[in-house]
Amino acid sequence: MSAKDKDVTVVHLIRHGEVFNPEGVLYGRLPGYHLSELGVKMAEHVADHLADRDITYVAASPLERAQETAAPIAARHNLEVATDPRLIEAKNNFEGKTFGVGAGALRNPRYWKYLRNPFQPSWGEPYIDQVVRMTSALDSARDKARGHEAVLVSHQVAVWIVRSYIEGRRLLHDPRKRQCSLASLTTFTYEGDRIVSVGYSEPAKDLLPSKAEASSRTQFGA
C-alpha cells in the first residue's frame, strides 16, 4: 500500500554529517563550518539509503554543514534544497569557545551566569522556542510532501528536543544520552495531520567515530 492510499506522509529529520573542526570549538550558528571529508561520505551514505524512497521535498538549515548534507539527497531525487531558517542550530552563548571545566570557557567566571538555569536553558535558546519552530518546520514539510516523503536536515539539539517533545519526554536532559548520532534519521510518520510513529536509524553507522571521540567533541550539540 502506498503512502497516498492512507494519506500517509513521512518526514525524515536528519542530523548533518561530521564537521571539519580541528580546534574543537562549539561552532553553533557561526558561519564557515563545513562537512569534513568523512562528513561528505556520511551524507552520501544517507543519500544512497534514501535513493529509492518517494521523496518530493528536501529542506535544510541555512548553515553550511546542513546544506552540504542535504545536497546529495536532493540530487538523487532531482530536487532543489529549500532553505528553512526554522531548522537552524540552537543559539548558544558559548559559540566560538571550547567548553570544559579544565581548559574551556567554564574557567572564566563571566560565563557562569549562563549556567544558572539548565531547565530553560540559560546558556542559549529556550527549549520551548526550539519546539515551536521545529514543529512548525515539520508541519510545513508534511504539507509540502502530503502523501509522499520529505527530508529536513537540522542539528542535534533541535532534532532531539522536538523528538522529546513529541514523545512526551521532559526537555531537560543529559546531552550525552541523546539518540541522535551524526547523519542519523529521526523519522516521523503521519496519518493525515497526526504523527502516528517515530523511528530512528543510522545509515552511516559504519562511519561514526568512536563513542570516546564523539564525547570529546560535543556537549551542547552541533
Side-chain angles (χ1 to χ4, degrees), residues 15 28 35 48 60 66 74 89 119 124 129 148 162 186 188 191 204 213 221:
R15 181 187 174 193
L35 293 182
D48 290 343
E89 174 68 280
F119 293 90
D129 290 356
H148 302 278
V162 73
T186 300
F188 302 89
E191 288 186 4
E213 290 175 311

Side-chain angles (χ1 to χ4, degrees), residues 1 24 36 44 46 51 59 62 70 88 100 107 109 111 137-138 141 152 162-163 168 178 180 186 211 220:
M1 181 178 292
S36 65
E44 292 289 345
V46 176
I88 199 166
R107 292 187 65 185
Y111 297 117
L138 284 170
L152 304 178
V162 73
R163 177 182 171 185
R178 295 173 187 146
C180 189
T186 300
K211 289 184 178 180
F220 286 118

Side-chain angles (χ1 to χ4, degrees), residues 189-200:
T189 300
Y190 293 80
E191 288 186 4
D193 292 344
R194 184 171 64 92
I195 295 174
V196 295
S197 69
V198 180
Y200 177 79

Side-chain angles (χ1 to χ4, degrees), residues 13-25:
L13 187 53
I14 299 175
R15 181 187 174 193
H16 61 79
E18 185 189 67
V19 175
F20 181 69
N21 180 23
E23 296 178 351
V25 302

Side-chain angles (χ1 to χ4, degrees), residues 8-14 50 53 55 57 87 134 137-146 148-153 185-190 195 197-199:
V8 172
T9 307
V10 176
V11 180
H12 304 283
L13 187 53
I14 299 175
L50 295 173
R53 304 300 293 255
I55 293 168
Y57 179 72
L87 297 171
M134 290 296 291
L138 284 170
D139 289 347
S140 292
R142 175 205 63 205
D143 292 342
K144 290 179 182 296
R146 181 78 65 174
H148 302 278
E149 299 187 21
V151 167
L152 304 178
V153 183
L185 277 68
T186 300
T187 299
F188 302 89
T189 300
Y190 293 80
I195 295 174
S197 69
V198 180

Side-chain angles (χ1 to χ4, degrees), residues 201-212:
S201 59
E202 298 178 351
K205 185 174 182 178
D206 59 320
L207 298 177
L208 292 175
S210 70
K211 289 184 178 180

